[in-house]
Structures are given as C-alpha cells and as structure tokens.
Amino acid sequence: MNNELDIAVVGMAGRFPGARNLEEFWHNLVEGVESITRFSDEELLRSGVPAGCLSNPNYVKAAPILEDPSQFDAAFFGFLPIEARTLDPQHRILLELAHEAIEDAGYDPNRYPGRIGVFTGAAFNTYFMDSGLSRDFAQDYIPTLISSDKDFLSTRISYKLNLKGPSLTIQTACSTSMVAVHLARQSLLNEESDMALAGAVSVRVPHQAGYFCDGGGVVSPDGHVRAFDAKANGTVFGSGGGILVLKRLADAHADGDNIHAVIKGSAVNNDGSEKAGYTTPSVNGQADVTVEALANAGVEADSITYLEAHGSGTPVGDPVEIRALTKAFRTFTQRSGYCAIGSVKTNVGHLDAAAA
C-alpha cells in the first residue's frame, strides 16, 4: 500500500481533568472514571464565586478541572516572575506540554537538523478578565497584549524551544485541535516542516467554578455528559490540553522513531449557511467532510472498527452526528453493526478548543 501521504505520531503529551499525563488519562478511560469534579459551597466561595450563585437552582456546581493549573516553572523557560504572572495559564501549560511532547519523541530541537513547525490554539483567555490584567492595557499595552493574546501562542512556543518551522495559531472554536492536526499534516506533506507540533489548550478561570443552566442551551443541567445516550441532556465545559509530535511516516521509519499511531487522511470543510443556526451542525456538511477524509485516507469504510466522535451529549448534536456518519459510510458500504462509536467527553467533559 502506498504510504507517501501517511503521517506518524512520534510524540505525545497531555494534561486532562483527573489526569496529569497521558498514562493517567488512559487509565481513567479504561476504568470508566468520570473526571468531572463536584464542588462544595466552601470551595466555590474560596474560588471567588458570588454567594448569591450558590442558592440559585440553575447553578450547577460541577466542572472538569486540572490539578494545580497555576503551577509553572518560569525559570526553566527563561521567564521573569512578573512575565510569568501576567502570562495566560493556557500559554504556560501548552508550552510545558510542547516541551514534554518533544522529549517524548526523543528529540532535542537545538540538534535536530530539520524544521519543526507549530500549529496550536487556545480557548478564550478568562485569566485576563478575572485577574484584572485588563486594567494594565492603558500603561502597558504591548507587554499585556503579548502575554494575553492568542496570536502569540504558537510563536512563543517556537521562540522558547528554538523551533524554526512555520508557527501558526489556529482558532476554530471546538474544532481547533483537530484543524491544527490537519494543517500540521499539510505542512509536513508540503515539506514546509520536517516535524510538527499540533494541539490546543483550554483553562477556565476561576478554575473551581460551576455554571448556569436555564434548560435552553447546550450545557448539562446535572453536570454529566452522556454522549449518544437516550438520556443525553447537554455538555459540561472544562479545562485540558494536549500536543502531538508529527513526522512523515517514511522519515519516522528511517529515523527509528517510536510510532504511536498513523494518520492516513484528513479533511476540513464548513456548513456555510446550510445550518438551522450558527451553532447548529448540519448533516450534509459533516457527511461531506467524512467522505472526503475517508477518500483521502484510502481506506475501506467497513475496515474501521471504532470511531472517536465529537459526541457532545446534546439532544441536537448527537443525532445529527450519527445521521451524518451513517450517510458518509453508506457512500462506501451497506454493511452495518461493525463500527463502535464513542466520545471521551463522557469522562472529561467538553474541553473547548482542546476538544477532540
């Protein structure tokens, strides 16, 4: 089989609710651990949640959170204390994950002869709003902007780790991490990069805080995510992040890399105005991009035995996704009952820009 378009995953790093690393994350998935934290009123008050929220019946006291998201080895990455204090925690964590992922791949960027690209994204900077940094814009516009804005996420990683390939910050809401992987793959196939980092991060501040649910939106009224379940009633947004290190498969074989997985194809499109609403997915758009990805990968649809879906656990989104996948797979085969479907959102919630 021709594998000229195949991309190898040669390094990985992640930090998720209930898991400080990928090993703990996998353990939680295997054991069926739901890593959505329930908060006491005391914890919420200490986190700065107004007391009036706690007695509101629409306030859900739950969220998927990280362990010590404020911790950061500033000196290791060459930051002054004042720089580290103002730096968006999302930038801090993704920088740490980038370093861990390259180490996991077994490479030293300062000695690697090729170009290493960076394709990453982040969620909205809630730390900027919660910490009062917005007041610094008037007198310290440039430093505040550089430490807070998404535009500087990928290029900061490139600067701190001495990575000289393309460095693009990707922002496509909850598809950010997957689009980052797609663009990193294209960069490798176009030989703009010889290795590429691709991933995303989301850190919500205040960290130990719940959310309001009035029954009319996409969030869960009870703090559980039940993807593809008859009782699915909404999603829960939380914090986490991950990065992959990618190389062309032929190069990975030649270099003796540890290959975790192989990406055989990818595709990106948009629904345009076909959707019923801006945040409502369409069947045709999802079906079309799935068909394109399968064709790009050159694999038989009925050879796929598991599909990790978006699976937000909403009454609208899940059925649309199932109909779209069914339509796409029916383009290639009439077989049924051979491919399982699931979503890690049932374990860790919806991680915004870092969602798979």
Side-chain angles (χ1 to χ4, degrees), residues 4-324:
E4 291 181 358
L5 302 182
D6 290 354
I7 299 297
V9 179
V10 299
M12 301 186 293
R15 202 170 303 171
F16 305 99
R20 294 166 296 180
N21 51 52
L22 291 171
E23 289 74 19
E24 292 181 4
F25 179 56
W26 180 247
H27 170 80
N28 289 344
L29 294 180
V30 171
E31 297 299 323
V33 176
E34 184 192 48
S35 297
I36 297 176
T37 301
R38 307 282 156 169
F39 305 119
S40 67
D41 287 355
E42 291 74 18
E43 288 174 319
L44 292 170
L45 289 171
R46 285 198 301 270
S47 189
V49 176
C53 296
L54 306 183
S55 58
N56 189 317
N58 292 330
Y59 188 74
V60 183
K61 303 171 185 178
I65 63 173
L66 299 175
E67 181 179 316
D68 296 327
S70 62
Q71 299 301 307
F72 180 59
D73 191 345
F76 179 81
F77 290 104
F79 285 97
L80 296 173
I82 184 62
E83 292 178 310
R85 186 189 70 80
T86 59
L87 187 63
D88 181 357
Q90 298 181 127
H91 291 219
R92 304 177 207 164
I93 288 175
L94 205 62
L95 177 57
E96 290 177 331
L97 291 176
H99 180 268
E100 292 172 21
I102 292 177
E103 280 201 331
D104 181 67
Y107 285 96
D108 177 358
N110 293 309
R111 294 193 293 174
Y112 182 67
R115 297 204 302 171
I116 303 176
V118 179
F119 302 82
T120 62
F124 182 70
N125 183 359
T126 50
Y127 176 72
F128 177 77
M129 306 297 293
D130 187 73
S131 64
L133 286 172
S134 56
R135 295 191 298 268
D136 296 338
F137 254 129
Q139 63 269 28
D140 292 310
Y141 176 74
I142 296 300
T144 304
L145 186 71
I146 291 175
S147 66
S148 304
D149 194 73
K150 295 175 179 179
D151 286 2
F152 304 94
L153 176 65
S154 293
T155 50
R156 177 178 283 106
I157 292 172
S158 297
Y159 171 66
K160 289 294 183 179
L161 302 184
N162 194 27
L163 312 180
K164 299 179 180 177
S167 191
L168 280 68
T169 296
I170 313 301
Q171 296 302 151
T172 60
C174 55
S175 63
T176 293
S177 63
M178 299 306 293
V179 174
V181 171
H182 172 75
L183 294 177
R185 174 177 176 266
Q186 288 187 325
S187 181
L188 289 164
L189 295 178
N190 291 334
E191 298 188 351
E192 297 172 332
S193 303
D194 301 295
M195 188 186 302
L197 304 184
V201 65
S202 170
V203 179
R204 296 164 68 84
V205 179
H207 205 56
Q208 293 189 327
Y211 58 92
F212 281 97
C213 176
D214 60 6
V218 299
V219 293
S220 167
D222 58 9
H224 297 284
V225 182
R226 301 176 178 87
F228 307 116
D229 191 294
K231 297 179 181 178
N233 58 2
T235 198
V236 182
F237 289 93
S239 302
I243 279 193
L244 302 179
V245 181
L246 308 176
K247 288 179 68 176
R248 292 179 289 271
L249 181 60
D251 292 345
H253 280 307
D255 296 338
D257 293 320
N258 181 26
I259 299 173
H260 299 284
V262 174
I263 301 173
K264 299 193 69 66
S266 64
V268 170
N269 74 349
N270 196 274
D271 296 307
S273 58
E274 186 174 323
K275 301 180 290 187
Y278 177 58
T279 60
T280 307
S282 78
V283 172
N284 290 338
Q286 289 190 37
D288 289 346
V289 78
T290 304
V291 168
E292 186 179 348
L294 284 168
N296 185 267
V299 299
E300 299 295 330
D302 58 6
S303 70
I304 299 171
T305 57
Y306 176 74
L307 194 150
E308 176 65 25
H310 183 65
S312 58
T314 61
V316 174
D318 284 3
V320 166
E321 188 169 12
I322 290 294
R323 290 200 297 271

Side-chain angles (χ1 to χ4, degrees), residues 287 290 319-333:
T290 304
V320 166
E321 188 169 12
I322 290 294
R323 290 200 297 271
L325 290 170
T326 301
K327 181 179 180 181
F329 275 58
R330 285 288 181 269
T331 304
F332 300 92
T333 179

Side-chain angles (χ1 to χ4, degrees), residues 343-354:
S343 172
V344 299
K345 288 184 179 66
T346 56
N347 299 81
V348 297
H350 190 311
L351 304 187
D352 204 304

